[in-house]
Amino acid sequence: VIAQAALIAWLVYLTLRTHGLAHAVIFLLVAVMVLIDASSLPWYVGQLMPDILLPAAVLALHLLAFRRAALTRWERAGLVLVVAAAIASHMGTLALCLALIVILAVSMPLYRPWLRTGPPRLGLPAAAVIAGLILAPLSNLAITGQFAFTPGGESFLFGRLVQDGIVARYLKDKCPDPKIALCAHIERVPDSADEWLWTVRSPFYDLGGWKDYAAEERRIIADSVRLYPWEHLRAAVRSTLLQFANFTTDITTAPHEMVYTLQAFENYAPQILDRVRAARQQTGEVEVRPLNYLHVPVAVFSLLGLAVIAFAPRRARLQPQAVALAVTILLALLLNAAICGVFSNPVNRYQSRLIWLAPLAVMIAVATRTRENAA
């Protein structure tokens, strides 16, 4: 947790410094306090999850692409390492980084006439993504003995199709069929992705789980796309929009949802298991939801601010570098919503882990504009 906090503090400082704000001590303190008190940032920094590495990768890619000249050689190397480690930690980060680089490359002709800044330099960002592609299977080899990317992607997508009713329609049209193992469990197929993936009563585990049932999941997904293309398209658009709008701070603290965490402590650190069980998180005393009376309005106004910055940069007389940051973060939020909503399932956590970048970009844009106008 200390390492994650240090990483984010460094990235925020580096972002402020490369936008000319590092010496404004009061602004630095205000920006940090706003992010700590009015956004989801500290909750993801404080979890041992790969979630915090996703926004870290977005900031690192932006700095490498747009602010490379303001970075030292060691800072560039550190940012490349951040992106590579983030990609190795989660395949969703790989998808987001790849999509972001492709869109930045395709949109290069727009930068000078629209954003009034030079096009991004994508050599180092591309090298960082390639490094992540290499590190991901190597890290799996070191941990599991298998040189492969992390499995399970088709199971998350299948769970979303279960929730959208597409799997139910497919089974209704196809069953009984001895070639489809799920037909034997048609009455037990749940109606939500979480129940399909995470409950022991799910037929998913009876049929082999993440590894052994993957082949049939892929066949059903492909066949259902062929049979119901428009239903798939509507569901994908709906899931993307739902995911984009779902960004409330939602942290798992309920004791009944901590089964796998407690098992990990039991297996690897049994000497502190009693202390873990007695902690406030396990006794159900931590209540996160009231924070959203502040977090959600700040996020909504920040998203509106990003839209204004991105689409009216000249009228607002904004610093071009700050506009580029806002555009990068807005793109990242849209891409994250599409990737997570379509290939997994709309969940508050997927968007809230990234949404704190929006107020950061808005504060930088306002601060640089104010300073330029005062000058």
Side-chain angles (χ1 to χ4, degrees), residues 170-245:
Y170 180 84
L171 295 177
K172 181 180 179 181
D173 292 344
K174 290 290 186 176
C175 295
D177 186 339
K179 296 179 181 179
I180 303 175
L182 190 55
C183 284
H185 304 269
I186 188 171
E187 301 297 331
R188 296 174 51 225
V189 175
D191 57 5
S192 77
D194 284 343
E195 288 183 85
W196 172 258
L197 291 171
W198 307 118
T199 61
V200 295
R201 300 180 302 276
S202 172
F204 175 58
Y205 293 100
D206 295 334
L207 294 169
W210 301 92
K211 182 177 180 181
D212 294 336
Y213 191 59
E216 179 164 292
E217 285 179 319
R218 289 192 291 268
R219 290 197 300 271
I220 292 176
I221 291 169
D223 202 24
S224 66
V225 170
R226 180 183 62 84
L227 293 171
Y228 322 121
W230 292 112
E231 188 169 344
H232 270 275
L233 180 61
R234 286 194 298 270
V237 172
R238 182 173 62 250
S239 294
T240 298
L241 295 176
L242 284 173
Q243 183 62 84
F244 186 78

Side-chain angles (χ1 to χ4, degrees), residues 71 152 160 208 271 338:
L71 300 168
R160 201 263 297 170
Q271 69 276 12

Side-chain angles (χ1 to χ4, degrees), residues 13 57 83 112 191 225 277 315 373:
Y13 167 77
V83 175
R112 289 196 184 280
D191 57 5
V225 170
R277 290 184 183 277
R315 185 179 302 174
N373 287 347

Side-chain angles (χ1 to χ4, degrees), residues 264-276:
F265 277 106
E266 186 174 4
N267 292 333
Y268 299 108
Q271 69 276 12
I272 62 171
L273 184 60
D274 290 340
R275 289 160 54 197
V276 172

Side-chain angles (χ1 to χ4, degrees), residues 96-366:
L96 177 59
C97 291
L98 280 174
L100 191 57
I101 288 177
V102 169
I103 291 178
L104 289 177
V106 171
S107 60
M108 276 188 180
L110 298 176
Y111 286 98
R112 289 196 184 280
W114 181 31
L115 303 182
R116 296 180 294 132
T117 186
R121 301 173 66 179
L122 298 180
L124 277 180
V129 172
I130 293 171
L133 281 169
I134 296 171
L135 184 60
L138 285 176
S139 62
N140 285 336
L141 177 65
I143 296 169
T144 69
Q146 297 180 359
F147 184 79
F149 290 103
T150 305
E154 59 278 298
S155 297
F156 282 101
L157 174 55
F158 195 87
R160 201 263 297 170
L161 299 185
V162 167
Q163 183 162 296
D164 286 336
I166 294 175
V167 169
R169 178 180 177 183
Y170 180 84
L171 295 177
K172 181 180 179 181
D173 292 344
K174 290 290 186 176
C175 295
D177 186 339
K179 296 179 181 179
I180 303 175
L182 190 55
C183 284
H185 304 269
I186 188 171
E187 301 297 331
R188 296 174 51 225
V189 175
D191 57 5
S192 77
D194 284 343
E195 288 183 85
W196 172 258
L197 291 171
W198 307 118
T199 61
V200 295
R201 300 180 302 276
S202 172
F204 175 58
Y205 293 100
D206 295 334
L207 294 169
W210 301 92
K211 182 177 180 181
D212 294 336
Y213 191 59
E216 179 164 292
E217 285 179 319
R218 289 192 291 268
R219 290 197 300 271
I220 292 176
I221 291 169
D223 202 24
S224 66
V225 170
R226 180 183 62 84
L227 293 171
Y228 322 121
W230 292 112
E231 188 169 344
H232 270 275
L233 180 61
R234 286 194 298 270
V237 172
R238 182 173 62 250
S239 294
T240 298
L241 295 176
L242 284 173
Q243 183 62 84
F244 186 78
N246 287 351
F247 45 73
T248 56
T249 301
D250 185 12
I251 307 299
T252 298
T253 59
H256 68 276
E257 296 180 347
M258 303 299 293
V259 175
Y260 296 113
T261 301
L262 294 176
Q263 285 179 351
F265 277 106
E266 186 174 4
N267 292 333
Y268 299 108
Q271 69 276 12
I272 62 171
L273 184 60
D274 290 340
R275 289 160 54 197
V276 172
R277 290 184 183 277
R280 290 179 62 201
Q281 180 168 319
Q282 275 61 252
T283 57
E285 297 179 19
V286 178
E287 182 55 76
V288 179
R289 285 175 295 181
L291 295 173
N292 287 303
Y293 290 116
L294 178 60
H295 290 187
V296 170
V298 169
V300 169
F301 283 112
S302 298
L303 283 174
L304 293 174
L306 287 183
V308 171
I309 294 168
F311 294 104
R314 293 187 179 181
R315 185 179 302 174
R317 292 177 294 175
L318 298 170
Q319 183 191 70
Q321 292 83 0
V323 176
L325 175 64
V327 170
T328 300
I329 291 174
L330 187 58
L331 283 174
L333 288 166
L334 289 167
L335 290 170
N336 185 68
I339 292 166
C340 295
V342 173
F343 295 100
S344 181
N345 178 51
V347 175
N348 291 334
R349 179 172 63 86
Y350 293 157
Q351 200 75 347
S352 68
R353 62 189 175 181
L354 196 64
I355 196 68
W356 64 268
L357 293 176
L360 175 64
V362 171
M363 285 188 290
I364 290 174
V366 171

